[in-house]
Amino acid sequence: MQIRRYKHFASVVGLVLGLLCAVEAAKVNKHKPWIETTYHGIVTENDDKVLLDPPLIALDKDAPLRYAESFEVTFTKEGEICGFRIHGQNVPFEAVVLDKSTGEGVIRAKDKLDCELQKEHTFTIQAYDCGEGPDGANMKKSHKATVHIQVNDINEYSPVFKEKSYKATVIEGKKYDSILKVEAVDADCSFQFSQICSYEIVTPDVPFTVDKDGFIKNTEKLNYSKERMYKLTVTAYDCGKNRASEDVLVKINIKPTCKPGWQGFNKRIEYEPGTGSLALFPSMHLETCEEPITSIQANIELETNHIGKGCDRDTYSEKSLHKLCGASAGTVELLPAPSSSANWTVGLPTDNGHDSDQVFEFNGTQAIKVPDGVVSTSLKEPFTVSVWMRHGPGAREKETILCNSDKTEMNRHHYSLYVHNCHLILLLRQDPAETENYKPAEFHWKLDQVCDKEWHHYVLNVEFPSVALFVDGATFEPFLVTEDYPLHSSKIDMQLTIGACWQDNPGHDKDNETVSEPSTGGNARMSQFFRGNLAGLMIRSGKLENKKVIDCLYTCKEGLDVQLPEEVASAVKVAFNPNQSSLTVEGDDIEAFDKVMQHISYLNSRQFPTPGIRHLRVSTTVKCFNEETCILIPEAAGYVMVLQPEEPKISLSGIDHFARGAAEFESPEGVTLFPELRIVSTITREVEAETEPEATEGAEGAEDDPTVQETVVSEEIMHNLDTCEVTALGDELDGEHETLEVDQAQVQQRGLEMTSSNLGLVLTGVNTMANYEQVLHLIRYKNWHTEALFDRKFKLFCSELNGRYISNDFKVEVSVIHTANPMDHANNAMVQPNFINPVHHASVDLSGHNLVNAHQASVVPSAATIVIVVCVSFLVFMIILGVFRIRSAHQRTMRDTEGGKENEMDWDDSALTITVNPMETYEDQHSSEEEEEEEEESEEGEEEDDITSAESESSEDEEAGEPEDQQGASRQQQLEWDDSTLTY
């Protein structure tokens, strides 16, 4: 029994020992987990799940018993895997064990992935089992496997065009395979979604198409006249059918069929006077149709032949122009504008206009005689003859410009200037000399200018035996000089004529200045008539004209100008003609050539230019590499329109009526005619009226309202004058007892000239209005016999630009005050200023301009003077008398008031007395207008009413002529009524 118990115990112990050995064997972790060596995965962006090939599974050959952490025996599943570990930097993935017993796991993204940032990811992974003890020494790791993961794209981006807009230019009449290419891009990372699969023109009904590559072409021939520019809207699609986020605009310009020539040329160019230079071709360029160009030459011509004498020049008298150009004294003008001092040109027809120079026309039947004394009978050498002439092809006869011949008998020509067969000929016969030898007598020039029907300036400098001719500033030598004997000595007077030569025939009136050739010959006093136009004929004796003055006389005030840019100055050549009406541009660089053309301008330096059209032409020649003209550039034609300048209004104002004592007229100083004369010039401008802020809402309606008018504004301007003329009205000046005088030294000091006659006095010369005003202040009228003179009237007017602008006629009337003795003369002179009554001259219109008031006066005859003095004295007497009466009445009132204070009862009794208000009588005797004035006065106060009532009654009594006792009674009633009023 006991042995049996030992056997049983031994078997139990053996079993336990076996189990313990088995558990000890299970504690040994002999094998590493096993995984595949390479994995490939796919993940879609914006998703975290990764599909791996092959799947992530780890295997372990160790027993399925887990390491026991205590002495308890625990049974677990086989091959447990505890986890996976990923190796790499910034790996956006993690590995997770799904089932430890089977070793199954997955890889997933930590965050959303972006394919556009990174398409593929590569990293390594390890598996580790759970065979680890408390110290972690028994854990086993698998080998490292490589994982490749690709990020799949989604179509999240739309196509975007590379350019904001596209432009192209095509020529009409052609079909293009490709006009331009539009291109869009897609930001998606995959090939499928990042590719642009198609383009589309959204704009309907346009003759264009676009292919899948973005090339646009036209489907039909384009017509410039039908449409000059097309605007297309184009969109794009990617292969995922996403449309472009924004469509793109395509502009296609249609050019006409290429024609060589100047482009951007305005045919009408308006020039406003006073604005300086004006660019003629600011946007012009030369189109050569892509031809290879080697040289370009352009000639720009400004046609001004119809303006004045060939162009716009100052239209002062020729004498004034010579002075402005620096010519010294001694110049005599033979064709002056008709005036009181030079009237021999009155009968000649002129241009009848004041916009340009005064031109005289000779039609082959008219000529004039220059009065004796204007030019000396024999010219003193050296001398100069200058003239403006326009002459066409004429007949075979001689045509005389200027001729000095015998007045009677022999008809010899001493000197003359004439035209014959387009030759200009100067005849100059010498005076008798000791030796009768041949000397140069005729100088011939053959000139195209003589017969081209254009204006030309001719200057002959004669210094015998040589003669120099200048035509438009250029020098010409005579091609022929003929000789002749000097003239025989004689005492025959000579006659200077213009437009023909004088021929003496008895029985005709020699004082006829303008002669018409009769239909029958034999009796004519003139011969060799001129046919053409002349102006500015001058003779200057004793000195030659220098080249500087000649150029100044010919220079135009208008013309072409160019300011060359520095960058093209060396690449282009520019040349002008003498009067700058034409210039030539040469170069080989088209771009530089265009820049020079764009800087060509028109300039008119006159303050008041001649308005009208100036035709403009551009002729161009282009050569290619073969040095021949390869393309023809048509002529470009236009015109410059010089607008009408704002005409100045010259106004003369001052004292126009005054009286002086006879002694002043007879004194050496005389009487000043224009002591306070003012010369003012204004221009009138039309400006739009300013719109008030509250009226802006109706501005659109105001534009269409025909009643809206522009505001007229006058502005004072400064300019020169060239003439002021003082003439006597009524009888001409009698040189024996009256004259107009001015200090000649003062006149010359201010650069003016003065001529006088029995008609009056004339000041000439181009000078400022201020200088003319100062000289006119110095003009005095003197009369030595004033016994029969009561008044004298004069007229003054001034002009500018040879009569183009004329002032108003300012008339002055001077009255003579006659006195009985010298003392009366002095008294009249002393009180005279009181008789001057300043008024505004009715003929001076300065509306819209703020000027100093003109002082004018009215006539005061001697009888009227006496009446006025008596009236003024009587008025002063009446004023003094009225003041005295008012003062006496006031003192009497004060005395009565003091007496009332001493005896109040007496005053009370008097208060019961019924008094009559004198104001009622006053009201009955005056009009309703005077009643209103009385009511206003009564409201001002009691004390003031007392004084005013007394004054009114006193004045009324004096005017009505009442008896003295009625005045006293009325005054007593007035004082009594006033006294009672003052007590209360």
Side-chain angles (χ1 to χ4, degrees):
M1 184 74 169
Q2 189 174 7
I3 295 171
R4 192 177 297 162
R5 287 180 179 174
Y6 284 128
K7 289 182 179 180
H8 179 71
F9 178 76
S11 61
V12 171
V13 171
L15 179 60
V16 171
L17 291 174
L19 289 172
L20 290 173
C21 291
V23 170
E24 187 67 25
K27 287 171 60 179
V28 179
N29 191 7
K30 296 182 179 181
H31 301 284
K32 297 178 180 180
W34 179 89
I35 58 175
E36 300 285 345
T37 57
T38 303
Y39 293 91
H40 293 276
I42 298 175
V43 63
T44 302
E45 63 178 343
N46 299 331
D47 193 7
D48 61 350
K49 186 177 181 180
V50 180
L51 297 178
L52 285 177
D53 183 23
L56 181 60
I57 297 175
L59 300 177
D60 196 325
K61 295 181 179 181
D62 289 323
L65 291 177
R66 185 178 178 184
Y67 179 79
E69 296 180 357
S70 63
F71 289 99
E72 294 183 7
V73 178
T74 304
F75 296 96
T76 61
K77 296 181 179 180
E78 297 179 357
E80 285 188 348
I81 301 298
C82 278
F84 297 94
R85 184 170 298 167
I86 293 176
H87 300 277
Q89 292 183 353
N90 301 325
V91 178
F93 296 96
E94 62 181 0
V96 180
V97 177
L98 298 180
D99 190 342
K100 292 183 178 182
S101 61
T102 60
E104 183 180 357
V106 294
I107 297 177
R108 59 188 180 191
K110 296 179 182 178
D111 297 310
K112 292 183 179 180
L113 301 175
D114 192 348
C115 175
E116 287 73 32
L117 295 178
Q118 189 171 348
K119 293 182 179 181
E120 294 182 352
H121 297 269
T122 301
F123 53 88
T124 58
I125 189 172
Q126 273 183 317
Y128 58 93
D129 58 17
C130 298
E132 57 182 351
D135 57 357
N138 294 326
M139 181 184 67
K140 298 292 185 181
K141 299 178 182 179
S142 69
H143 62 274
K144 293 181 179 180
T146 302
V147 181
H148 300 280
I149 297 178
Q150 179 180 344
V151 182
N152 282 352
D153 186 26
I154 60 174
N155 196 8
E156 58 183 331
Y157 292 101
S158 298
V160 177
F161 285 95
K162 288 185 175 181
E163 304 290 340
K164 292 184 178 179
S165 63
Y166 294 86
K167 295 181 180 180
T169 301
V170 297
I171 299 175
E172 65 173 346
K174 292 177 63 177
K175 288 190 67 175
Y176 291 83
D177 294 334
S178 175
I179 296 175
L180 78 160
K181 180 183 180 182
V182 295
E183 187 176 0
V185 294
D186 196 307
D188 288 313
C189 64
S190 64
F191 179 81
Q192 176 185 4
F193 298 139
S194 64
Q195 295 299 308
I196 307 301
C197 283
S198 64
Y199 294 89
E200 180 184 347
I201 296 176
V202 180
T203 306
D205 302 327
V206 290
F208 298 94
T209 185
V210 60
D211 62 15
K212 63 181 182 63
D213 295 321
F215 290 101
I216 298 176
K217 63 181 181 179
N218 54 321
T219 58
E220 62 183 44
K221 293 181 179 180
L222 305 176
N223 192 336
Y224 176 79
S225 60
K226 181 180 178 181
E227 192 72 38
R228 297 188 177 185
M229 185 178 69
Y230 288 93
K231 294 183 179 180
L232 315 176
T233 303
V234 180
T235 191
Y237 294 91
D238 62 18
C239 294
K241 299 302 180 181
N242 266 7
R243 181 174 175 169
S245 56
E246 290 185 6
D247 299 337
V248 71
L249 177 64
V250 179
K251 296 180 181 179
I252 300 178
N253 293 308
I254 312 302
K255 288 180 61 178
T257 303
C258 185
K259 296 178 182 178
W262 290 104
Q263 306 293 329
F265 175 67
N266 293 327
K267 291 187 177 181
R268 177 186 171 93
I269 305 161
E270 290 188 354
Y271 179 81
E272 184 175 351
T275 56
S277 60
L278 173 67
L280 296 176
F281 321 112
S283 58
M284 191 169 75
H285 65 279
L286 182 62
E287 177 60 60
T288 60
C289 296
E290 300 181 357
E291 289 285 343
I293 303 301
T294 58
S295 67
I296 311 170
Q297 178 178 341
N299 182 55
I300 299 92
E301 183 178 0
L302 181 71
E303 294 185 0
T304 59
N305 295 334
H306 61 290
I307 303 296
K309 297 191 294 288
C311 66
D312 211 1
R313 296 182 175 89
D314 284 331
T315 56
Y316 297 115
S317 67
E318 198 67 22
K319 190 173 183 179
S320 297
L321 290 175
H322 275 71
K323 190 173 182 180
L324 288 175
C325 287
S328 58
T331 302
V332 179
E333 190 171 5
L334 299 182
L335 285 176
S339 65
S340 59
S341 60
N343 56 3
W344 62 87
T345 58
V346 172
L348 285 177
T350 64
D351 61 350
N352 294 323
H354 295 296
D355 287 343
S356 59
D357 299 318
Q358 186 144 27
V359 174
F360 295 94
E361 180 182 355
F362 294 84
N363 58 11
T365 63
Q366 293 175 312
I368 59 172
K369 294 192 303 180
V370 179
D372 296 339
V374 175
V375 181
S376 60
T377 55
S378 60
L379 290 176
K380 180 182 178 182
E381 295 183 9
F383 66 90
T384 298
V385 179
S386 63
V387 65
W388 284 93
M389 181 177 69
R390 179 170 60 186
H391 181 263
R396 293 181 178 274
E397 294 82 8
K398 296 179 180 180
E399 299 180 47
T400 300
I401 301 169
L402 177 69
C403 181
N404 188 30
S405 60
D406 290 337
K407 240 181 189 181
T408 58
E409 300 178 11
M410 302 182 67
N411 295 329
R412 297 176 303 173
H413 295 181
H414 294 261
Y415 63 86
S416 67
L417 180 65
Y418 62 93
V419 174
H420 188 210
N421 291 333
C422 295
H423 291 190
L424 183 66
I425 302 170
L426 172 66
L427 171 66
L428 183 60
R429 300 294 299 276
Q430 293 297 304
D431 293 333
E434 295 180 358
T435 57
E436 297 293 332
N437 296 329
Y438 279 101
K439 292 183 178 181
E442 281 189 341
F443 300 83
H444 296 247
W445 292 270
K446 186 176 182 180
L447 303 169
D448 295 334
Q449 291 90 331
V450 172
C451 296
D452 64 359
K453 295 184 179 180
E454 302 291 345
W455 280 105
H456 298 284
H457 187 229
Y458 301 85
V459 178
L460 291 103
N461 277 343
V462 180
E463 189 172 17
F464 194 81
S466 65
V467 179
L469 173 66
F470 297 87
V471 182
D472 298 337
T475 307
F476 290 86
E477 295 294 332
F479 81 96
L480 177 63
V481 178
T482 60
E483 297 181 343
D484 201 347
Y485 281 108
L487 294 174
H488 297 288
S489 177
S490 68
K491 296 183 179 181
I492 302 174
D493 293 334
M494 290 176 283
Q495 178 64 59
L496 183 62
T497 57
I498 301 172
C501 257
W502 177 258
Q503 301 289 342
D504 177 47
N505 285 305
H508 294 272
D509 185 8
K510 297 183 181 180
D511 294 330
N512 187 16
E513 296 183 353
T514 303
V515 182
S516 296
E517 185 177 22
S519 57
T520 59
N523 293 326
R525 290 197 168 211
M526 296 287 186
S527 63
Q528 303 174 6
F529 284 90
F530 179 78
R531 292 174 176 84
N533 298 98
L534 297 176
L537 180 58
M538 306 285 294
I539 289 183
R540 184 181 181 191
S541 180
K543 193 171 183 180
L544 299 179
E545 210 72 273
N546 60 50
K547 185 67 166 58
K548 183 179 179 180
V549 174
I550 294 172
D551 291 340
C552 174
L553 292 171
Y554 174 69
T555 300
C556 295
K557 294 294 184 179
E558 66 176 339
L560 300 174
D561 191 18
V562 62
Q563 298 294 331
L564 291 179
E566 295 182 0
E567 63 271 16
V568 300
S570 60
V572 179
K573 296 180 180 179
V574 178
F576 287 90
N577 69 337
N579 61 356
Q580 290 192 302
S581 63
S582 175
L583 66 86
T584 302
V585 183
E586 295 183 2
D588 54 6
D589 186 343
I590 295 180
E591 184 177 352
F593 201 91
D594 288 343
K595 285 186 178 180
V596 173
M597 293 294 291
Q598 292 167 6
H599 282 77
I600 295 175
S601 59
Y602 169 79
L603 176 64
N604 195 316
S605 59
R606 293 190 65 191
Q607 186 176 9
F608 306 107
T610 304
I613 292 175
R614 278 77 163 163
H615 289 284
L616 192 65
R617 288 182 173 84
V618 181
S619 304
T620 311
T621 302
V622 176
K623 292 184 179 181
C624 297
F625 286 103
N626 54 6
E627 294 298 327
E628 294 182 359
T629 302
C630 51
I631 56 176
L632 295 177
I633 306 297
E635 183 181 79
Y639 62 92
V640 178
M641 172 59 75
V642 179
L643 302 178
Q644 179 75 35
E646 295 170 338
E647 297 190 0
K649 184 175 183 179
I650 306 172
S651 301
L652 308 180
S653 60
I655 300 175
D656 67 344
H657 212 171
F658 58 89
R660 294 288 188 271
E664 290 193 36
F665 289 91
E666 297 175 359
S667 67
E669 292 79 13
V671 175
T672 303
L673 284 183
F674 312 106
E676 298 185 19
L677 177 72
R678 284 294 315 277
I679 304 177
V680 176
S681 183
T682 58
I683 58 174
T684 302
R685 302 178 185 270
E686 291 185 356
V687 297
E688 294 182 359
E690 295 184 359
T691 305
E692 297 181 358
E694 57 269 16
T696 54
E697 297 180 357
E700 296 181 359
E703 294 178 358
D704 300 331
D705 187 0
T707 61
V708 177
Q709 297 180 353
E710 294 182 335
T711 303
V712 177
V713 178
S714 294
E715 297 179 4
E716 183 175 348
I717 62 170
M718 302 301 295
H719 59 78
N720 292 329
L721 299 176
D722 60 0
T723 303
C724 281
E725 184 171 346
V726 182
T727 56
L729 298 179
D731 297 335
E732 296 181 355
L733 294 174
D734 188 347
E736 295 183 358
H737 63 267
E738 62 178 342
T739 183
L740 288 174
E741 292 184 356
V742 64
D743 189 350
Q744 192 68 30
Q746 294 290 337
V747 174
Q748 294 178 356
Q749 181 180 349
R750 289 168 175 80
L752 300 176
E753 295 183 4
M754 186 268 291
T755 58
S756 59
S757 66
N758 58 348
L759 298 177
L761 183 147
V762 179
L763 296 173
T764 57
V766 180
N767 218 310
T768 63
M769 293 186 293
N771 281 340
Y772 266 96
E773 191 176 283
Q774 293 173 8
V775 174
L776 289 171
H777 287 168
L778 303 175
I779 295 178
R780 297 177 176 272
Y781 172 65
K782 299 169 65 175
N783 194 308
W784 300 279
H785 301 285
T786 59
E787 293 81 3
L789 181 65
F790 292 97
D791 57 48
R792 199 70 162 101
K793 297 179 180 179
F794 298 92
K795 181 182 73 173
L796 167 66
F797 72 90
C798 298
S799 67
E800 162 69 337
L801 294 174
N802 209 15
R804 180 176 175 182
Y805 303 116
I806 303 177
S807 72
N808 61 303
D809 289 340
F810 179 66
K811 297 179 181 180
V812 174
E813 182 175 352
V814 184
S815 298
V816 182
I817 301 176
H818 294 278
T819 57
N821 52 63
M823 184 59 66
D824 292 338
H825 283 286
N827 292 336
N828 286 332
M830 292 175 63
V831 301
Q832 179 188 353
N834 294 330
F835 306 149
I836 298 178
N837 181 25
V839 296
H840 196 276
H841 199 286
S843 62
V844 180
D845 182 13
L846 298 177
S847 60
H849 190 75
N850 187 14
L851 300 175
V852 179
N853 291 332
H855 298 287
Q856 299 158 3
S858 59
V859 170
V860 183
S862 57
T865 304
I866 297 173
V867 174
I868 291 176
V869 171
V870 172
C871 292
V872 171
S873 302
F874 181 77
L875 179 61
V876 173
F877 172 76
M878 296 300 296
I879 292 173
I880 295 173
L881 180 61
V883 173
F884 176 77
R885 288 187 175 185
I886 294 170
R887 183 177 180 84
S888 300
H890 184 68
Q891 291 176 354
R892 210 173 297 140
T893 303
M894 294 299 294
R895 287 196 298 270
D896 293 341
T897 303
E898 292 175 358
K901 290 181 180 179
E902 293 175 357
N903 190 354
E904 294 182 358
M905 294 301 295
D906 293 340
W907 177 86
D908 290 335
D909 291 339
S910 63
L912 298 174
T913 302
I914 299 174
T915 59
V916 178
N917 189 353
M919 298 299 292
E920 296 178 356
T921 306
Y922 184 85
E923 292 172 354
D924 294 337
Q925 295 177 353
H926 290 77
S927 63
S928 60
E929 181 177 357
E930 293 173 338
E931 291 177 1
E932 294 177 0
E933 295 178 357
E934 244 183 301
E935 290 173 3
E936 292 177 358
E937 292 173 356
S938 64
E939 293 176 358
E940 294 178 357
E942 294 177 351
E943 184 179 353
E944 184 176 354
D945 284 337
D946 297 341
I947 299 174
T948 304
S949 300
E951 289 177 352
S952 300
E953 180 155 348
S954 175
S955 176
E956 178 183 350
D957 293 342
E958 290 171 359
E959 291 176 359
E962 292 180 356
E964 188 174 347
D965 56 343
Q966 292 180 3
Q967 293 179 5
S970 177
R971 188 181 299 108
Q972 179 66 29
Q973 293 174 0
Q974 175 69 25
L975 293 173
E976 201 171 62
W977 179 76
D978 287 340
D979 195 24
S980 62
T981 304
L982 291 172
T983 302
Y984 291 104

